[in-house]
Amino acid sequence: RPPPPRALLLGPMRYDVGRGELWRGEELVRLTTTESALMRVFAAHPHEPVDRLTLLAELDDAQERAVDVQVTRLRRKIEVDPKAPRYLQTVRGAGYMLTPD
């Protein structure tokens, strides 16, 4: 298995995997602790669905619906159109999948 890339490109966004930073051009986009934790998981498994239980394990004491809420918030920061996500997709019955360029 190849090592994960150092940066993931998400359209106008760039996620620095090593630093856990999300950038829009030269502008650093602030991520909450929870959003950072989710991005770390997604970045470790690009193009692979990550199930809710795996994501829940990363969130301190969240309920399952909290994962959906956090993914929605993350989409607002990543996606050009959060209602029609291109990069952070829902995979029916499997969870969520990050699909960088």
Side-chain angles (χ1 to χ4, degrees):
R1 186 178 175 137
R6 291 184 182 188
L8 298 175
L9 298 178
L10 309 160
M13 311 296 286
R14 179 176 54 84
Y15 180 70
D16 183 319
V17 178
R19 293 182 161 187
E21 293 174 346
L22 185 65
W23 294 85
R24 181 185 288 113
E26 297 297 307
E27 177 195 357
L28 179 62
V29 177
R30 281 187 55 84
L31 293 177
T32 64
T33 306
T34 305
E35 291 164 346
S36 292
L38 291 180
M39 277 305 291
R40 270 197 304 279
V41 178
F42 289 129
H45 306 280
H47 304 286
E48 294 173 22
V50 181
D51 65 68
R52 276 197 179 85
L53 288 175
T54 302
L55 295 172
L56 247 155
E58 289 300 311
L59 309 183
D60 288 335
D61 52 357
Q63 289 82 38
E64 202 164 333
R65 287 295 306 161
V67 170
D68 302 334
V69 172
Q70 293 299 330
V71 167
T72 300
R73 288 187 181 150
L74 202 47
R75 278 183 177 147
R76 285 191 204 126
K77 294 183 178 181
I78 295 175
E79 300 288 352
V80 174
D81 179 1
K83 299 213 181 312
R86 149 78 181 85
Y87 298 106
L88 190 47
Q89 300 178 352
T90 302
V91 182
R92 280 185 76 90
Y96 296 100
M97 178 170 63
L98 188 69
T99 54
D101 292 327

